DNA sequence: TTCACATTTTTGTTGCAACAAAAATGCAGC
DNA sequence: GCTGCATTTTTGTTGCAACAAAAATGTGAA
């Protein structure tokens, strides 16, 4: 008898599986730019962070890795990916295609109720910006975009777009300190809402594409400055 | 390091983790349409199938699930998703955007060597079709497409396209019996190769889009017939 | 200092057992 | 035949420990 009966831990609550919860929380943190690009993630550290055992933590890390949200830099080291300017450009290109498509489709399904919801989200963005709660502004910005994309009625597309946001999320980290000297994309959002109201697919797509390009420039600049800091 | 120390990592070849191997094999089977849509997957069955313990099997299933390649139909049941005509259309729409983009970019980077490789792949497709080895033809067809997409130099984009193929893969299962009365997309492939040779981005994109649309029609028809069988 | 090497620590992986819950099965009663 | 309910079987989840391999650290020499 190699093993003595082990003490079995009982988990009373488990509506959501621990692995899923860990995955979801990690995902949210990555999209929010909580982790600095290059940050190393270890199974045990994540487990301790989220207060679960190693199994769900490893589960979450593996899932995020096979989605490209995390990457291997060595046989035993998973890190939050560092996007160079090439990768940033590539993802932006893909975002333009996908989020442009979603916007176009959304224009055909939007209702006045949806526009109201967007306006409400925009108010949240504005007040967060006014009070310099940039992380919150960024989060509401994400919700604004996805509220539109969901209107497309194309759930597969939306989930793929989400995986793209997962990849650029870490770059937002560099944005935090000196974020948003000017209002972040407010004008584009206003145009987008107007276009949605008028069911103008081309305009909505253009507005969203503009917003994406705008964010891209901001991100590129922030990353360049960051690289400058490191090499200097 | 020009000098080689005595403790050299002899086994330089990547020791693949069991979880990764399981994931990769499952992925390949799904893309190839080995599993019938609706097929239920259990941890223990997969483990026995791939001759690993439950941990790597569960790992693979979880990863595929969070990528959308498998879906939950109950709290404890993961199945190969059944695509209805709406979902099929949505994925095709997304494929057109993404694979169209990849094709355009590929046209700008293709070399004569690449064209030769494509021709060689096309020969494999043709001979497989001639000898009615349809599964093989389908596989080479996938390689043909991705050989082009990889020329785009956009690895993120390619990996996202792969996740889309993962979602339509199961539908290919319905295609197997009466597959390919006519030659599958041969004409489109020929045009694509010609366009690549001439670095004609628009033509290459058009050819690939045509191929996708062609496959879509075929798939739609096969699925309808399948549904007809079930309800009859 | 810097480099190379040996030692220690950290870390991912894997198999397994026990549990809880879902799915399958049996069975009685109609 | 079918339906509803209780029982049995199947199944996913989770924590854990042992192991191997990689990373970190220490050490000493030039």
């Amino acid at each position: 008898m190699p093993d003595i009966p082990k003490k079995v831990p009982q988990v009373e609550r488990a509506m959501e599986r621990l692995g899923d919860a860990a995955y979801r929380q990690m995902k949210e943190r990555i999209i929010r730019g909580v982790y600095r690009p290059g940050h190393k993630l270890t199974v045990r550290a994540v487990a301790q962070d989220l207060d679960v055992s190693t199994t769900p933590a490893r589960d979450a890390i593996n899932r995020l890795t096979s989605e490209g949200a995390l990457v291997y830099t060595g046989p035993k080291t998973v890190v939050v990916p560092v996007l160079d300017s090439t990768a940033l450009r590539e993802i932006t290109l893909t975002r333009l295609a996908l989020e442009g498509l979603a916007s176009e489709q959304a224009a055909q399904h939007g209702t006045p109720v949806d526009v109201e919801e967007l306006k409400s989200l925009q108010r949240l963005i504005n007040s967060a910006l006014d009070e310099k709660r940039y992380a919150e502004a960024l989060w509401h910005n994400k919700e604004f975009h996805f509220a539109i994309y969901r209107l497309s009625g194309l759930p597969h597309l939306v989930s793929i777009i989400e995986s793209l946001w997962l990849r650029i999320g870490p770059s937002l980290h560099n944005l935090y300190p000196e974020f948003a000297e000017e209002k972040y994309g407010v004008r584009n959002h206003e145009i987008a809402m107007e276009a949605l109201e008028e069911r103008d697919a081309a305009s909505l797509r253009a507005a969203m594409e503009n917003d994406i390009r705008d964010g891209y420039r901001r991100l590129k600049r922030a990353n360049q400055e960051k690289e400058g800091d490191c090499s200097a």
Side-chain angles (χ1 to χ4, degrees), chain A:
Chain A
M1 186 107 71
D3 279 329
I4 299 244
K6 293 167 188 169
K7 181 66 188 163
V8 174
Q10 301 187 20
V11 182
E12 275 302 309
R13 45 132 185 164
M15 281 284 288
E16 192 183 21
R17 302 195 297 295
L18 291 182
D20 284 351
Y23 170 68
R24 194 175 39 76
Q25 287 180 58
M26 291 288 298
K27 199 159 137 179
E28 186 170 312
R29 288 188 189 188
I30 293 174
I31 287 187
R32 291 179 105 126
V34 171
Y35 296 118
R36 179 179 46 87
H39 183 263
K40 181 178 172 183
L41 291 166
T42 69
V43 171
R44 287 166 175 87
V46 170
Q48 193 172 355
D49 239 9
L50 305 181
D51 202 47
V52 292
S53 85
T54 60
T55 309
R58 199 182 81 94
D59 200 14
I61 291 178
N62 277 340
R63 288 201 230 178
L64 289 165
T65 302
S66 67
E67 280 179 57
L70 299 175
V71 296
Y72 279 93
T73 57
K76 276 189 159 171
T77 32
V78 197
V79 302
V80 177
V82 182
L83 293 190
D84 55 12
S85 60
T86 309
L88 195 61
R89 223 171 58 96
E90 174 185 358
I91 293 178
T92 302
L93 211 57
T94 311
R95 283 188 60 196
L96 287 169
L98 251 31
E99 300 180 37
L101 172 61
S103 302
E104 262 181 24
Q105 300 289 321
Q108 299 167 21
H109 298 105
T111 69
V113 179
D114 298 323
V115 176
E116 276 314 306
E117 194 196 324
L118 286 176
K119 281 183 181 166
S120 151
L121 278 171
Q122 187 57 46
R123 277 192 291 273
L124 287 175
I125 295 175
N126 289 340
S127 59
L129 282 178
D130 286 343
E131 297 163 34
K132 299 190 191 306
R133 299 193 306 269
Y134 298 130
E136 195 183 320
L138 232 33
W139 188 246
H140 290 312
N141 179 62
K142 187 221 167 195
E143 289 186 334
F144 183 93
H145 277 252
F146 279 86
I148 293 179
Y149 302 151
R150 269 192 298 269
L151 292 180
S152 69
L154 306 176
H156 290 269
L157 179 55
V158 173
S159 87
I160 292 170
I161 293 174
E162 199 180 22
S163 82
L164 283 170
W165 282 63
L166 211 46
R167 298 191 198 213
I168 42 163
S171 297
L172 298 180
H173 188 92
N174 297 336
L175 220 55
Y176 271 139
E178 65 284 311
F179 172 61
E181 312 87 34
E182 66 256 61
K183 290 219 170 191
Y184 179 73
V186 171
R187 187 71 193 118
N188 287 322
H189 286 198
E190 282 169 356
I191 297 175
M193 288 186 285
E194 206 170 310
L196 186 65
E197 221 158 9
E198 297 168 359
R199 295 178 119 71
D200 182 345
S203 293
L204 180 55
R205 177 175 190 138
M208 298 307 281
E209 286 195 355
N210 249 330
D211 198 50
I212 293 170
R213 288 206 177 85
D214 212 43
Y216 167 64
R217 283 185 222 103
R218 208 176 301 263
L219 238 47
K220 194 172 75 171
R221 191 149 45 83
N223 279 9
Q224 280 172 349
E225 285 171 8
K226 209 70 186 182
E227 282 172 16
D229 287 355
C230 290
S231 63

